[in-house]
């Protein structure tokens, strides 16, 4: 676009006052910051939305009609309305008789009863062809008069009805122009031979359907650019192309109707070249019927999210399929025949019409937030497919620190190796002296997890504080004692996942998920588990400070797949082959021989649980080779038989 002084796509410095207008305040044809009651509307905060205020259409049309026209014209005769009209008494009487015999049917082409320009004193002449969108108005011998004189004479006679003369031209003895409304064309036709001009000639008016053909050349393209400069609002990145054929920069010389496919594509090409990042577009009042050509919007304007296509001639909701690739958040469709179909289909306007209408539109624009000025419910994000947002591939391990990964891998390798062995007593070295442990299960599968039900510490189901405290295992020996009582297991190591959500010098937070098989049960069922460890440094290695174990029943489809893998996992019981678990040398090894401190703690714990003195508790542990679980079981068995002497309880 060639540069022109004081004009730019920013819409500033064009002498039209865009600064005080709303989203699409592009020119001064209508005072858009003045309400219908004459109240001044100040500057509004720009947002990506079109203004909802509607100017007075009658005033707008009349202003357009009077642009660049001289208001002072010679008048003959006199009238209260200052009309240049001379009607003799004979014509009036003949017209009155004609009015009485003409019936006004439903489809009558007569103008409105309030039409003051000769309707009560003239014979009504219907248009030669039925209703159309465009009409050519012909003024025979119009070459004798100036354009301004002819147009103002017609406007004064028709007042308060108005029209905008499109592409006024002289061809031989005739003057002609076009109007875009059936009612307006019929009202103009009714002026035929009812206006006496200054030379005594009765003005003739003829009308027939049709619209001009506009040849698109470089000169027209430059005029289009100049017109769109004034319609663009840079602050909100919006372009107002509403009623484009009535633009004051164009209508006197060119017929720029956007319903014509070639004109529409030409305009969109210019906009795409100069405003590729357009966010809002207003195409209201352009008599669009087939919007197939608007399918190019998604290709030319990837950021377009607001579209107004109200007051057009869209009759079928399926027309929206041509623009459904747009990621719209705001759409205006009201004023189209398609909306009337929904109203006639439902009696209840709110719950019936709008719900069906909203549903059909939302199917095509799932991200839509505003429809016809009404705020819609927020869309469910899972229903919205966003090509730009792709789900990352799943990973069996999430670790931000490679060193933390090595420590956790070695620690867990040793832990599950001992856990799956026949003797879990060496796990005493894996827990801190003040370790805590709790277990929960999924109660919906309690019929299959009955063996764990009594130790289920689900805080949502257990309100008794004493029971909550009892189910929380505290201390190294109680924790290992409880763990030793769990069924013997075989963990399916290739199903493990590991996440380290926190890795610091003082602690590490590790989550392990996977499947294990119970070996004590004849059916050897497979369970799903989730274990959370908080490990802390101790000596040269790490030990567990807190652990939470959750067990649930896998779905049937997963069980079938797992059973097929069991035959391949029999040789992996004591090895961890997953990349998440790699051995290192820095972690404290778990010795099979118990230290004297551990033996002393076991003796004291057994004494507290059985009420035996330390001597007999020590003897019990020694006889069971320091297997705490066996020692406790032996005590319970001999105590039930009454075979424990009384001196065992003497302290």
């Amino acid at each position: 676009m060639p540069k022109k002084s004081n004009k730019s796509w920013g819409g500033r410095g064009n002498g039209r006052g865009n600064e005080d207008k709303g989203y699409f305040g592009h020119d001064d044809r209508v005072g858009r910051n003045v309400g219908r009651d004459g109240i001044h509307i100040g500057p509004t905060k720009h947002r990506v939305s079109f203004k909802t205020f509607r100017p007075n259409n009658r005033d707008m049309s009349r202003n357009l009609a009077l642009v660049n026209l001289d208001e002072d014209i010679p008048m003959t005769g006199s009238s209260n309305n200052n009309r240049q009209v001379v009607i003799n008494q004979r014509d009036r009487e003949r017209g009155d008789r004609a009015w009485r015999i003409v019936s006004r049917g439903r489809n009558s082409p007569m103008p409105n009863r309030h039409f003051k320009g000769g309707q009560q004193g003239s014979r009504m002449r219907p248009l030669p062809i039925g209703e159309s969108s465009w009409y050519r108005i012909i003024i025979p011998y119009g070459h004798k008069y100036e354009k301004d004189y002819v147009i103002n004479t017609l406007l004064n006679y028709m007042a308060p009805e108005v029209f905008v003369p499109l592409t006024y031209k002289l061809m031989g003895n005739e003057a002609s122009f076009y109007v875009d409304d059936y009612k307006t064309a019929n009202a103009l036709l009714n002026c035929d031979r009812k206006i006496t001009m200054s030379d005594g000639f009765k003005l003739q008016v003829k009308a027939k359907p049709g619209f001009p053909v506009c040849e698109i050349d470089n000169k027209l393209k430059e005029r289009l650019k100049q017109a769109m400069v004034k319609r663009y609002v840079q602050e909100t990145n919006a372009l107002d192309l509403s009623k484009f054929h009535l633009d004051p920069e164009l209508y006197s010389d060119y017929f720029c109707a956007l319903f014509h496919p070639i004109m529409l594509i030409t305009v969109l090409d210019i906009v795409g070249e100069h405003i590729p990042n357009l966010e809002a577009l207003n195409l209201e009042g352009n008599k669009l019927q087939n919007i197939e050509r608007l399918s190019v919007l998604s290709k030319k304007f990837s950021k377009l999210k607001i579209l107004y296509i109200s007051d057009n001639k869209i009759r079928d909701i399926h027309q929206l399929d041509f623009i459904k690739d747009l990621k719209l958040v705001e759409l205006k469709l009201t004023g189209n025949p398609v909306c009337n179909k929904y109203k006639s289909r439902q009696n209840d306007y709110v719950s019936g019409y709008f719900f069906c209408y909203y549903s059909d539109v939302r199917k095509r624009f799932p991200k839509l937030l505003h429809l016809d000025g009404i705020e819609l419910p927020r869309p469910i994000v899972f229903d919205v497919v966003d090509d730009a947002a792709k789900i990352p591939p799943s990973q069996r391990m999430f670790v931000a620190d490679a060193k933390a990964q090595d420590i956790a891998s070695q620690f867990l390798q040793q832990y599950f190796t001992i856990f799956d062995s026949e003797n879990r007593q060496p796990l005493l070295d894996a827990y801190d002296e003040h370790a805590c442990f709790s277990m929960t299960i999924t109660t919906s599968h309690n019929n299959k997890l009955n063996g764990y039900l009594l130790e289920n510490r689900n805080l949502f189901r257990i309100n008794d504080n004493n029971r909550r405290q009892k189910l929380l295992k505290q201390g190294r020996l109680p924790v290992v004692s409880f763990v030793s009582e769990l069924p013997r297991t075989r963990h399916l190591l290739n199903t493990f996942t590991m996440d380290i959500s926190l890795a610091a010098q003082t602690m590490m937070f590790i989550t392990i998920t996977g499947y294990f098989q119970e070996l004590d049960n004849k059916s050897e069922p497979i369970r799903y588990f989730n274990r959370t460890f908080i490990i802390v440094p101790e000596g040269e290695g790490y030990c567990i400070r807190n652990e939470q174990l959750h067990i649930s029943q896998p779905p049937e489809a997963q069980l079938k797949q797992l059973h097929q893998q069991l035959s391949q996992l029999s040789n992996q019981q004591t090895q961890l082959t997953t990349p998440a678990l790699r051995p290192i040398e820095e972690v404290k090894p778990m010795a099979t021989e118990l230290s004297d401190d551990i033996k002393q703690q076991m003796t004291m714990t057994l004494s507290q649980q059985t009420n035996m003195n330390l001597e007999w508790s020590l003897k019990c542990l020694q006889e069971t080779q320091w297997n705490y679980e066996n020692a406790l079981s032996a005590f319970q068995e001999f105590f039930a038989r009454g075979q424990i002497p009384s001196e065992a309880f003497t302290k």
Side-chain angles (χ1 to χ4, degrees):
M1 180 188 301
K3 295 184 178 179
K4 190 173 182 179
S5 62
N6 296 327
K7 292 186 178 182
S8 67
W9 283 102
R12 296 179 177 177
N14 53 27
R16 296 281 180 169
N18 284 346
E19 291 78 9
D20 294 332
K21 298 185 178 181
Y23 199 81
F24 286 105
H26 58 270
D27 57 43
D28 57 0
R29 293 176 297 166
V30 182
R32 294 200 173 195
N33 55 349
V34 178
R36 290 174 177 159
D37 298 329
I39 301 175
H40 177 75
I41 302 174
T44 58
K45 182 179 180 181
H46 290 296
R47 66 181 184 88
V48 186
S49 173
F50 296 101
K51 60 188 292 187
T52 58
F53 173 73
R54 294 295 182 188
N56 188 300
N57 291 331
R58 177 175 295 173
D59 293 341
M60 180 184 72
S61 300
R62 187 167 184 82
N63 289 340
L64 287 173
L66 296 176
V67 169
N68 298 325
L69 299 183
D70 294 331
E71 295 183 359
D72 297 327
I73 60 176
M75 309 292 283
T76 60
S78 62
S79 172
N80 293 334
N81 294 324
N82 293 325
R83 302 174 184 162
Q84 184 194 352
V85 181
V86 177
I87 303 177
N88 58 37
Q89 184 64 26
R90 181 182 300 174
D91 291 336
R92 182 178 297 279
E93 292 175 356
R94 184 171 61 251
D96 289 342
R97 290 194 300 271
W99 171 253
R100 285 194 296 271
I101 64 175
V102 175
S103 62
R104 183 179 177 85
R106 178 179 180 184
N107 297 320
S108 172
M110 295 181 185
N112 192 288
R113 289 181 182 271
H114 298 290
F115 175 53
K116 301 177 182 179
Q119 175 176 318
Q120 296 178 348
S122 62
R123 182 184 302 274
M124 303 303 297
R125 298 186 181 184
L127 292 177
I129 302 180
E131 290 191 22
S132 176
S133 297
W134 305 91
Y135 291 90
R136 184 185 181 209
I137 307 300
I138 303 170
I139 310 294
Y141 305 104
H143 71 291
K144 299 190 300 180
Y145 312 103
E146 294 292 333
K147 169 187 173 182
D148 298 352
Y149 178 45
V150 173
I151 298 302
N152 277 335
T153 299
L154 291 170
L155 284 171
N156 278 288
Y157 182 81
M158 293 173 56
E161 302 295 332
V162 295
F163 66 91
V164 178
L166 304 176
T167 62
Y168 190 99
K169 292 182 179 180
L170 294 177
M171 296 183 64
N173 294 335
E174 292 182 346
S176 66
F177 58 88
Y178 293 84
V179 293
D180 63 346
D181 180 68
Y182 172 79
K183 179 181 175 182
T184 301
N186 204 23
L188 284 166
L189 184 60
N190 190 48
C191 297
D192 183 33
R193 300 178 186 275
K194 294 184 178 62
I195 302 175
T196 301
M197 307 300 282
S198 58
D199 58 357
F201 180 77
K202 290 187 179 296
L203 189 69
Q204 299 181 41
V205 182
K206 299 180 181 180
K208 63 179 182 179
F211 56 87
V213 177
C214 185
E215 182 179 354
I216 299 175
D217 52 19
N218 292 332
K219 183 178 179 181
L220 173 58
K221 290 181 179 180
E222 290 301 318
R223 291 281 294 273
L224 289 173
K225 293 176 184 179
Q226 295 173 16
M228 285 187 283
V229 161
K230 299 178 181 180
R231 289 173 168 261
Y232 176 61
V233 182
Q234 185 176 18
E235 292 80 1
T236 52
N237 201 12
L239 180 64
D240 185 359
L241 296 180
S242 61
K243 296 186 178 181
F244 195 61
H245 58 284
L246 298 179
D247 191 283
E249 300 284 338
L250 302 169
Y251 78 85
S252 60
D253 300 319
Y254 297 100
F255 182 69
C256 300
L258 296 185
F259 77 89
H260 197 286
I262 298 179
M263 182 62 67
L264 177 63
I265 293 300
T266 301
V267 170
L268 293 180
D269 285 343
I270 295 174
V271 179
E273 178 183 355
H274 295 278
I275 326 175
N277 295 324
L278 188 69
E279 296 182 41
L281 179 63
N282 188 345
L283 293 172
E284 293 180 333
N286 283 296
K287 302 183 182 296
L288 300 174
Q289 182 174 355
N290 189 328
I291 61 173
E292 181 178 0
R293 298 302 178 100
L294 294 183
S295 60
V296 301
L297 292 178
S298 59
K299 301 176 182 178
K300 291 181 177 292
F301 312 106
S302 59
K303 295 184 178 181
L304 187 67
K305 53 186 177 182
I306 295 179
L307 180 64
Y308 284 8
I309 49 177
S310 301
D311 301 322
N312 283 291
K313 295 190 174 184
I314 302 172
R315 299 182 179 276
D316 194 334
I317 196 68
H318 295 289
Q319 285 284 311
L320 297 182
D321 292 338
F322 294 120
I323 58 174
K324 66 180 181 179
D325 292 336
L326 292 172
K327 297 177 174 59
L328 297 181
V329 298
E330 185 173 351
L331 174 68
K332 276 198 175 181
L333 193 60
T334 183
N336 284 283
V338 63
C339 299
N340 297 329
K341 292 182 179 180
Y342 285 91
K343 291 180 182 179
S344 62
R345 207 189 310 168
Q346 300 289 338
N347 294 325
D348 188 343
Y349 178 84
V350 177
S351 62
Y353 151 71
F354 189 75
F355 178 78
C356 296
Y357 174 52
Y358 146 74
S359 299
D360 284 350
V361 175
R362 199 67 173 290
K363 288 178 184 176
R364 293 162 173 86
F365 307 103
K367 292 184 178 181
L368 203 64
L369 300 179
H370 292 85
L371 176 61
D372 294 344
I374 300 176
E375 185 174 357
L376 303 181
R378 302 288 298 185
I380 301 175
V381 295
F382 295 105
D383 292 342
V384 181
V385 179
D386 191 348
D387 297 333
K390 296 182 179 179
I391 299 178
S394 61
Q395 297 182 4
R396 294 183 58 190
M397 175 184 62
F398 178 79
V399 181
D401 190 332
K403 184 177 180 180
Q405 173 189 341
D406 291 338
I407 294 174
S409 299
Q410 173 64 8
F411 184 90
L412 295 172
Q413 175 188 350
Q414 297 183 51
Y415 181 89
F416 283 104
T417 299
I418 297 175
F419 194 94
D420 284 347
S421 67
E422 295 183 359
N423 182 15
R424 294 174 180 166
Q425 287 297 121
L427 291 178
L428 285 168
D429 275 340
Y431 287 90
D432 182 75
E433 181 180 355
H434 304 288
C436 293
F437 176 94
S438 64
M439 184 188 73
T440 59
I441 65 171
T442 303
T443 54
S444 60
H445 299 292
N446 57 5
N447 58 331
K448 297 182 179 181
L449 300 173
N450 282 337
Y452 304 95
L453 185 60
L454 295 178
E455 297 294 339
N456 178 29
R457 192 174 182 266
N458 190 329
L459 299 182
F460 286 104
R461 295 179 175 272
I462 301 174
N463 298 321
D464 185 356
N465 288 332
N466 292 331
R467 180 164 174 75
R468 286 185 175 186
Q469 189 67 20
K470 182 179 179 181
L471 292 174
L472 179 63
K473 313 304 177 184
Q474 301 183 70
R476 176 185 303 171
L477 291 176
V479 171
V480 176
S481 176
F482 176 79
V483 168
S484 298
E485 293 175 0
L486 294 175
R488 203 159 53 91
T489 59
R490 177 196 299 140
H491 283 80
L492 310 182
L493 304 179
N494 67 333
T495 65
F496 277 23
T497 68
M498 180 175 74
D499 295 330
I500 302 179
S501 54
L502 174 63
Q505 293 182 353
T506 56
M507 64 179 298
M508 192 180 300
F509 193 97
I510 309 171
T511 300
I512 298 291
T513 69
Y515 296 89
F516 68 88
Q517 187 177 21
E518 292 183 8
L519 300 181
D520 292 343
N521 195 312
K522 292 182 179 180
S523 62
E524 296 187 346
I526 296 177
R527 315 292 192 196
Y528 171 82
F529 77 92
N530 182 308
R531 297 183 84 150
T532 301
F533 299 96
I534 296 180
I535 64 174
V536 297
E538 182 176 314
E540 298 179 357
Y542 285 79
C543 60
I544 301 170
R545 184 65 178 84
N546 198 307
E547 179 184 359
Q548 199 277 331
L549 169 63
H550 179 77
I551 301 175
S552 64
Q553 185 67 17
E556 292 298 327
Q558 185 67 27
L559 284 175
K560 292 181 180 179
Q561 183 178 358
L562 291 171
H563 280 297
Q564 295 175 357
Q565 299 176 5
L566 283 177
S567 59
Q568 304 174 5
L569 301 175
S570 58
N571 298 327
Q572 301 178 5
Q573 297 180 29
T574 58
Q575 300 180 17
L576 296 178
T577 58
T578 62
L581 304 174
R582 300 198 301 269
I584 65 168
E585 299 177 355
E586 298 180 5
V587 181
K588 171 184 174 182
M590 299 179 185
T592 57
E593 292 293 333
L594 300 179
S595 64
D596 292 339
D597 290 340
I598 296 297
K599 291 180 180 180
Q600 184 178 357
Q601 290 182 18
M602 291 177 65
T603 303
M604 294 178 63
T605 302
L606 183 60
S607 176
Q608 292 174 0
Q609 284 191 284
T610 62
N611 205 28
M612 291 191 302
N613 55 40
L614 294 177
E615 180 183 356
W616 278 84
S617 297
L618 177 61
K619 185 185 298 186
C620 182
L621 287 168
Q622 289 174 343
E623 291 180 357
T624 57
Q625 298 181 356
W626 293 99
N627 188 315
Y628 188 87
E629 179 185 359
N630 292 342
L632 185 59
S633 299
F635 166 79
Q636 293 173 347
E637 180 181 354
F638 284 100
F639 182 78
R641 296 178 185 178
Q643 297 179 356
I644 299 179
S646 58
E647 59 265 23
F649 302 97
T650 303
K651 296 183 180 179

